[in-house]
Amino acid sequence: MARPLADYVKLPSFDEYKEWFKAFADMKREDGILQITWKTNDGPMHHSGMSHRAMSQLTRIISLDHENEIIIYTHIGDNWMIESDANGWETYSELPRQRFEHQYFDDTNLIKNMIFDLDVPTIGALPGPGFHWDSAFLCDVTICTEDTRIEVPHAQGGLVPGDGMGLMFQHYLGTKRGNYYMMTTRQVNAQQMLDWGLVSEVVPKGKAVERAWEIARMWKRMSYENRCIMSDLAKRPLQKLLVQDLKLHTVSEQYGSMLRVAAGELGDENSSQQDEKYISRVNDWRYATEEMMKPQTFESWDSMPANAAAWFKKVEAGEIENPYVFEHSNEPDWYNAF
């Protein structure tokens, strides 16, 4: 073969970008099947401006590596993301450029990169309940365990639910049902998700990742070219949806936040819109109790932060057990959220 004038551009290798993102994801690849396990350092992912950006960046990077033939997204431990890093939003709050980049670029890229950059089959495997479930539900196939619960929690914190999850609720659940769950922050359980078209399968606890690998190996029996084309067809409905509505949703959340900032109403639980670090105080309670599975009322909506605080006091006193202790396992001694 004659020598070309210039060679292919050298892109980062698997070992290189695996190292780049080691604070936010564990990655392993076998026979072209790439498993991405979200985390923060050596424990569960604590949602932050940094993790938010890393998730979209990683999706773009792995899309450039053609050795990644099938991709599985999951989360470390027995649950999906439940914690926020209360100290991880400082740059997010800096005006104007930092906040603009986080809300205008990162919010959008987290969603669109999953659908427009990845040309190979994808599987989301939820090992349990949690929030910020975008990457799992944007996959071609989504599997969850029988105890999984999800929600769009923004409105109860005074935020416009425009980061893409509300849009997916409208798409998967239908307009009226999607609006209701988006606007009241009520949780959806695994059986409802299966019945309403949010997930593909519900499996026993501890079996989500195992089932994802089984499906991935099944797809490997197809030719590389045909399974890529199949995946493009699977993504097409979401591609059309995102072209029409994603930027409107993300900009609406940004606009609502900026109005509250301008009015001086962004802050703690007593403000009309809560800052991310205050929202993080209630996460364990929302999944450890059944309160968010019920239709919300004025009283339950208004008393939610106080009820969560009272629940935590009982946990600290040893009166009740917090089932999400592992979710705090990677918080070092110096970490003090408040």
Side-chain angles (χ1 to χ4, degrees):
M1 180 182 290
R3 183 177 178 181
L5 290 173
D7 204 348
Y8 291 104
V9 174
K10 183 183 183 304
L11 296 173
S13 68
F14 177 69
D15 288 337
E16 286 177 300
Y17 62 77
K18 181 179 179 180
E19 179 69 15
W20 293 356
F21 290 93
K22 66 181 181 180
F24 300 107
D26 280 332
M27 285 178 264
K28 71 173 184 177
R29 187 168 67 192
E30 298 176 9
D31 191 26
I33 302 169
L34 172 65
Q35 178 180 314
I36 295 173
T37 304
W38 296 125
K39 62 167 192 168
T40 295
N41 296 327
D42 296 322
M45 179 169 273
H46 282 46
H47 182 41
S48 68
M50 298 77 183
S51 69
H52 200 245
R53 179 166 294 173
M55 293 172 82
S56 65
Q57 290 172 327
L58 177 56
T59 296
R60 182 160 289 167
I61 292 295
I62 64 173
S63 73
L64 300 174
D65 185 351
H66 291 179
E67 297 299 313
N68 298 322
E69 298 182 27
I70 297 171
I71 301 167
I72 297 169
Y73 286 91
T74 190
H75 189 281
I76 193 171
D78 294 329
N79 301 294
W80 194 256
M81 195 186 313
I82 289 178
E83 300 305 320
S84 288
D85 182 352
N87 299 331
W89 299 96
E90 297 307 315
T91 58
Y92 193 95
S93 300
E94 291 180 15
L95 295 172
R97 179 159 179 165
Q98 290 282 3
R99 192 174 188 102
F100 172 78
E101 289 180 346
H102 277 294
Q103 288 199 290
Y104 194 76
F105 295 135
D106 293 349
D107 277 9
T108 305
N109 289 339
L110 186 79
I111 304 292
K112 75 177 182 63
N113 292 359
M114 289 282 303
I115 300 302
F116 291 101
D117 286 358
L118 298 179
D119 293 310
V120 299
T122 54
I123 306 172
L126 283 88
F131 67 89
H132 217 311
W133 34 263
D134 323 53
S135 58
F137 283 82
L138 289 163
C139 289
D140 303 335
V141 167
T142 303
I143 299 161
C144 75
T145 54
E146 54 201 359
D147 66 326
T148 300
R149 288 189 276 161
I150 66 167
E151 61 188 359
V152 181
H154 302 68
Q156 201 164 27
L159 289 85
V160 175
D163 68 345
M165 290 189 289
L167 179 62
M168 281 190 275
F169 261 30
Q170 290 177 322
H171 173 71
Y172 290 123
L173 303 184
T175 303
K176 289 296 182 181
R177 185 159 51 198
N179 287 348
Y180 168 74
Y181 280 89
M182 173 183 72
M183 297 172 75
T184 69
T185 75
R186 187 176 175 182
Q187 292 177 348
V188 181
N189 65 31
Q191 188 59 51
Q192 289 169 325
M193 287 190 279
L194 182 63
D195 293 342
W196 298 343
L198 266 166
V199 299
S200 313
E201 286 186 12
V202 177
V203 298
K205 188 68 174 176
K207 297 295 183 180
V209 174
E210 178 183 326
R211 177 57 177 150
W213 275 88
E214 183 175 32
I215 293 173
R217 292 189 178 101
M218 180 178 72
W219 285 341
K220 284 286 290 185
R221 301 291 294 174
M222 296 178 66
S223 68
Y224 170 75
E225 298 82 7
N226 281 12
R227 64 174 178 263
C228 288
I229 296 169
M230 176 179 70
S231 179
D232 283 336
L233 289 178
K235 291 176 175 65
R236 184 167 169 76
L238 283 176
Q239 288 174 344
K240 292 190 288 185
L241 174 71
L242 298 188
V243 166
Q244 289 182 319
D245 289 333
L246 177 60
K247 185 61 77 173
L248 175 63
H249 274 242
T250 55
V251 171
S252 294
E253 180 172 332
Q254 181 183 30
Y255 182 58
S257 293
M258 295 309 298
L259 288 174
R260 302 280 61 77
V261 170
E265 296 175 353
L266 176 67
D268 63 16
E269 296 93 337
N270 299 312
S271 303
S272 67
Q273 182 176 311
Q274 295 174 35
D275 187 88
E276 286 281 356
K277 63 183 177 182
Y278 293 100
I279 292 175
S280 70
R281 289 181 173 181
V282 303
N283 292 337
D284 290 16
W285 174 86
R286 291 178 75 93
Y287 293 101
T289 71
E290 297 292 322
E291 296 305 311
M292 298 312 302
M293 289 297 299
K294 304 172 184 176
Q296 294 300 290
T297 64
F298 172 82
E299 181 180 1
S300 66
W301 184 287
D302 194 52
S303 62
M304 185 269 291
N307 291 340
W311 179 84
F312 271 108
K313 287 182 180 178
K314 291 182 178 179
V315 169
E316 291 172 351
E319 297 176 25
I320 57 175
E321 182 180 356
N322 181 3
Y324 301 114
V325 172
F326 175 71
E327 275 60 34
H328 300 273
S329 61
N330 57 342
E331 296 171 2
D333 293 340
W334 54 259
Y335 181 80
N336 184 8
F338 304 100

